Amino acid sequence: MRGLLATSIGVTCAASLALPLTPSATAVTAPPAPTAETATAAARATSLAAPLPGSTQSLPLTPLARDRAHGGSGPQQGVPRRDVRPFSLLGIVWDDPDAELHGQVQVRTRDVRTGAWSGWQDVETHNTDHGADPGADERTSDRVRGATAPLWVGDSNGVELRVSSATEHRTEDTARGARTAASAAPLPSGLRLELVDPGTPAPAPASAARRVGAEATVMPALDRAATERELRALYAPALTEGRRAAKPYIGPRPGIVTRRGWGADETLRESGFRYTTKVKAAFVHHTASGNNYTCAQAPSVIRGIYRYHVKSMGWRDIGYNFLVDKCGTLYEGRAGGVTKAVLGAHTLGFNSNSMGIAAIGTYTSVKPSAATVKAVASLTAWKLGLFGGNPNGKTYLKSAGGNLYAKGKNVRLNVISGHRDGFATECPGRQLYGKLGSTRTTAARYQGR
């Protein structure tokens, strides 16, 4: 049974699972299957007739006078305080995707409703570890840029930004002995401030709703018995008698808001889908976009991250396979099929044969909610179960290159790992990372282990 479960499958938004298997292939383009992704296809057709609103303002940074009270000793660039069109999410991009911004990025914004300016907020600068693997088409495209993490600031119409380079220290040998010299780290070239308006999705016309069915916006949850019946119905013709009688290790399918549900503008992303062979591991992330959002705003945050990943950073689609908000609601991420092994751009060096789950927020010092942790356990129990994965077990993945493991090295990892397990990074934040042990145990229990 498990060997057969390691094949990508498709699931409809409703209960039917009688769909063809997806060929196992790395970075394969395939037509959309009639699954929850049929809603995505209908959304694309709708978008072509009336594109969903949303926009990105791109402002070049200029030199600023040095402010020793609020930055390092190195040069500063930024955007002086100014009025802008409304936006809710921001980030900084630059020309070279392999360059890093060594320094501090701070921003303040003006609230649309009150007119009040916020205090200075830090923007997470270390973001190169979220992305496609080295050498992948998605990473080598001339559209790809380096970038900070996005920051959700809410409805704003004014902005001020400052970027200070870090001070680098080095030891030099002189005639009088060794001495420490300090110099400013160079800032990446082509710095621009991206201001993202995620827009408000237009309601789908009744005709589109009829085509995709009533479940277009949400893939409904199933209990354990119904989930097992679906799997058995799908695989019964291919199973031996003994395997047909075996009890599968899989958690109940959780409810998942589809791309149509959170308002994805399907005209933004590249057409077609990319798949890897199977899902052997799940990497848990945080978006590092801050915690100042309500659960009702979560779809807007996702639309903002999606637009930032595609239009500002040059990716083919949103990088994560799934996202979860602070209320525990799960969302479909990268297009291609929630039950399939969709190739994401989330863990540099380990995107093949894995999936990426991002908790919306910053969980370095703030604890994730119990609902968020439970949702991650529910999702992994189900999705890993489709491929025969044990959430409490270990697996091997081959590194495509990174700052922890050389290209080609087979690395033994937890089946549910944090981003920092595959790359030297703070992600998914100390507080969320500390919850992964209990997440593994809970997910395994949901699978019936």
Side-chain angles (χ1 to χ4, degrees):
M1 180 69 174
R2 291 186 193 171
L4 291 165
L5 289 180
T7 305
S8 300
I9 66 172
V11 177
T12 61
C13 290
S16 175
L17 282 172
L19 300 174
L21 299 180
T22 300
S24 294
T26 301
V28 177
T29 303
T35 66
E37 289 61 59
T38 304
T40 295
R44 175 182 284 277
T46 302
S47 297
L48 290 173
L52 298 177
S55 63
T56 302
Q57 304 170 69
S58 186
L59 308 177
L61 273 60
T62 58
L64 299 177
R66 183 180 300 172
D67 185 349
R68 294 184 180 275
H70 297 97
S73 59
Q76 287 192 340
Q77 294 186 34
V79 173
R81 183 182 295 197
R82 59 174 291 176
D83 297 336
V84 293
R85 298 192 306 275
F87 70 98
S88 300
L89 179 140
L90 60 84
I92 293 84
V93 300
W94 52 89
D95 294 338
D96 183 357
D98 294 321
E100 294 192 27
L101 196 164
H102 296 287
Q104 185 179 36
V105 176
Q106 293 184 308
V107 67
R108 57 187 311 202
T109 57
R110 184 178 61 204
D111 188 281
V112 165
R113 290 176 295 277
T114 67
W117 284 86
S118 71
W120 288 103
Q121 300 183 73
D122 289 323
V123 179
E124 175 57 59
T125 59
H126 300 294
N127 197 47
T128 57
D129 47 310
H130 295 77
D133 290 338
D137 291 344
E138 185 171 2
R139 188 168 184 84
T140 57
S141 165
D142 58 8
R143 300 188 306 275
V144 178
R145 301 175 184 174
T148 67
L151 178 67
W152 177 260
V153 294
D155 295 339
S156 305
N157 60 8
V159 69
E160 184 178 3
L161 174 76
R162 61 191 182 201
V163 179
S164 306
S165 64
T167 300
E168 295 181 335
H169 296 86
R170 65 184 184 278
T171 301
E172 297 178 342
D173 291 326
T174 68
R176 296 185 177 182
R179 73 180 184 90
T180 300
S183 61
L187 292 174
S189 62
L191 289 168
R192 302 184 70 86
L193 171 63
E194 303 286 289
L195 304 176
V196 179
D197 173 13
T200 303
S207 59
R210 283 196 297 270
R211 286 196 301 272
V212 300
E215 310 290 355
T217 60
V218 178
M219 183 176 178
L222 296 177
D223 63 21
R224 182 179 180 83
T227 301
E228 292 182 6
R229 285 198 299 270
E230 286 185 327
L231 284 174
R232 294 186 189 283
L234 176 65
Y235 287 113
L239 294 175
T240 64
E241 184 175 350
R243 290 185 176 178
R244 192 177 299 120
K247 183 178 180 64
Y249 289 118
I250 186 168
R253 189 181 79 186
I256 301 171
V257 177
T258 66
R259 289 171 64 92
R260 184 185 185 86
W262 55 260
D265 180 351
E266 300 295 350
T267 65
L268 290 181
R269 65 174 178 85
E270 288 185 15
S271 61
F273 310 127
R274 303 290 186 271
Y275 297 105
T276 184
T277 305
K278 62 179 71 173
V279 177
K280 297 172 64 178
F283 285 100
V284 178
H285 304 256
H286 66 172
T287 59
S289 52
N291 303 307
N292 295 322
Y293 72 94
T294 66
C295 293
Q297 291 174 322
S300 295
V301 178
I302 298 171
R303 290 196 304 275
I305 294 173
Y306 171 44
R307 178 174 281 272
Y308 184 66
H309 281 182
V310 175
K311 303 297 287 185
S312 299
M313 298 179 65
W315 294 1
R316 69 182 319 274
D317 195 352
I318 192 170
Y320 307 112
N321 298 104
F322 297 93
L323 300 96
V324 57
D325 66 24
K326 63 176 69 174
C327 289
T329 302
L330 290 163
Y331 301 85
E332 175 187 9
R334 179 162 288 207
V338 292
T339 61
K340 301 186 181 220
V342 177
L343 181 65
H346 49 82
T347 307
L348 185 73
F350 291 102
N351 289 302
S352 292
N353 294 333
S354 71
M355 68 174 180
I357 308 165
I360 302 171
T362 303
Y363 296 105
T364 303
S365 57
V366 175
K367 293 181 179 180
S369 68
T372 296
V373 176
K374 181 179 179 181
V376 173
S378 298
L379 176 64
T380 51
W382 171 69
K383 183 63 182 277
L384 290 169
L386 296 176
F387 297 87
N390 180 354
N392 217 11
K394 304 279 188 178
T395 191
Y396 281 90
L397 294 178
K398 181 176 288 188
S399 172
N403 64 1
L404 276 182
Y405 302 105
K407 180 178 180 179
K409 181 176 177 61
N410 282 317
V411 182
R412 189 169 184 259
L413 295 162
N414 287 309
V415 169
I416 299 179
S417 284
H419 186 180
R420 64 173 64 180
D421 294 320
F423 198 97
T425 176
E426 169 64 26
C427 185
R430 178 173 56 86
Q431 295 291 346
L432 180 54
Y433 188 78
K435 297 293 185 180
L436 295 189
S438 60
T439 300
R440 297 181 191 108
T441 302
T442 302
R445 177 166 52 84
Y446 288 164
Q447 284 193 345
R449 296 181 185 271

